[in-house]
Amino acid sequence: GRILGFRRSKRNTKEHTSLLQVEGVNTTESAEFYHGKRVAYVYRAKREIDGSKIRVIWGTVTRSHGNSGVVRAKFRSNLPPKSFGASVRIVSGFILDWVAVSEFFISILVPVPVPSVIDSFKKKKNSIITSAYHCILFFLNLLNFGMFLI
């Protein structure tokens, strides 16, 4: 999607709510699919933090705006005006739900205790290792579930 700007009236701007145009969405009915989805504004900063110059501001699509498929989104911190016209990534909630489901099943089906090293990686929420950890859990879950079906 694209960031159009802030929600506003004739003279006042509401910086806490951003307007997004999702590609391929032209009606209010088709925009309803995106309600509640997570949105990521990824940008590159000048100074490194934890070895990376890439940063993310996360938000959530709250509702539709108008009749042409534009949606409103609230971000954790207000978007900078420099972001107007930039692209955002809309993350499907399906992936996030599968991570939670796989953790639930892996805790039930695997009697082996998880090493403390992996637990320390879980505390770093935005690291690549954490997403790899979730993928491993998901595939272990599928393998264990397949073993019970045989």
Side-chain angles (χ1 to χ4, degrees), residues 86-135:
S87 62
V88 292
R89 299 176 188 179
I90 300 176
V91 181
S92 174
F94 181 73
I95 297 168
L96 300 173
D97 292 341
W98 268 109
V99 169
V101 169
S102 65
E103 281 187 344
F104 173 72
F105 278 115
I106 206 77
S107 65
I108 292 173
L109 300 176
V110 177
V112 180
V114 179
S116 61
V117 176
I118 295 178
D119 289 337
S120 66
F121 288 143
K122 280 175 61 178
K123 293 177 184 173
K124 298 178 182 177
K125 291 185 179 178
N126 293 328
S127 68
I128 295 171
I129 297 168
T130 305
S131 58
Y133 167 74
H134 287 304
C135 290

Side-chain angles (χ1 to χ4, degrees), residues 101-102 105-106 109 136-146:
V101 169
S102 65
F105 278 115
I106 206 77
L109 300 176
I136 291 168
L137 282 180
F138 179 71
F139 288 116
L140 284 175
N141 174 29
L142 289 179
L143 288 174
N144 286 326
F145 192 72

Side-chain angles (χ1 to χ4, degrees), residues 22-135:
V22 183
E23 291 179 20
V25 176
N26 298 322
T27 62
T28 307
E29 291 77 23
S30 57
E32 286 179 6
F33 171 77
Y34 294 97
H35 293 182
K37 298 284 190 285
R38 294 191 68 195
V39 183
Y41 169 61
V42 182
Y43 64 100
R44 189 179 304 274
K46 191 173 183 179
R47 185 173 53 89
E48 281 190 14
I49 293 180
D50 293 333
S52 176
K53 291 185 177 183
I54 296 174
R55 302 197 188 146
V56 180
I57 301 176
W58 285 98
T60 307
V61 175
T62 55
R63 55 175 289 183
S64 298
H65 180 85
N67 296 317
S68 61
V70 177
V71 294
R72 297 180 191 176
K74 287 193 175 234
F75 288 83
R76 288 186 183 166
S77 60
N78 297 342
L79 292 178
K82 185 179 180 181
S83 67
F84 294 169
S87 62
V88 292
R89 299 176 188 179
I90 300 176
V91 181
S92 174
F94 181 73
I95 297 168
L96 300 173
D97 292 341
W98 268 109
V99 169
V101 169
S102 65
E103 281 187 344
F104 173 72
F105 278 115
I106 206 77
S107 65
I108 292 173
L109 300 176
V110 177
V112 180
V114 179
S116 61
V117 176
I118 295 178
D119 289 337
S120 66
F121 288 143
K122 280 175 61 178
K123 293 177 184 173
K124 298 178 182 177
K125 291 185 179 178
N126 293 328
S127 68
I128 295 171
I129 297 168
T130 305
S131 58
Y133 167 74
H134 287 304
C135 290

Side-chain angles (χ1 to χ4, degrees), residues 4-20:
L4 301 179
F6 297 132
R7 184 169 74 99
R8 56 172 296 167
S9 59
K10 187 175 181 182
R11 294 179 183 86
N12 301 327
T13 58
K14 318 272 194 210
E15 293 89 2
H16 53 77
T17 306
S18 301
L19 301 178
L20 310 176

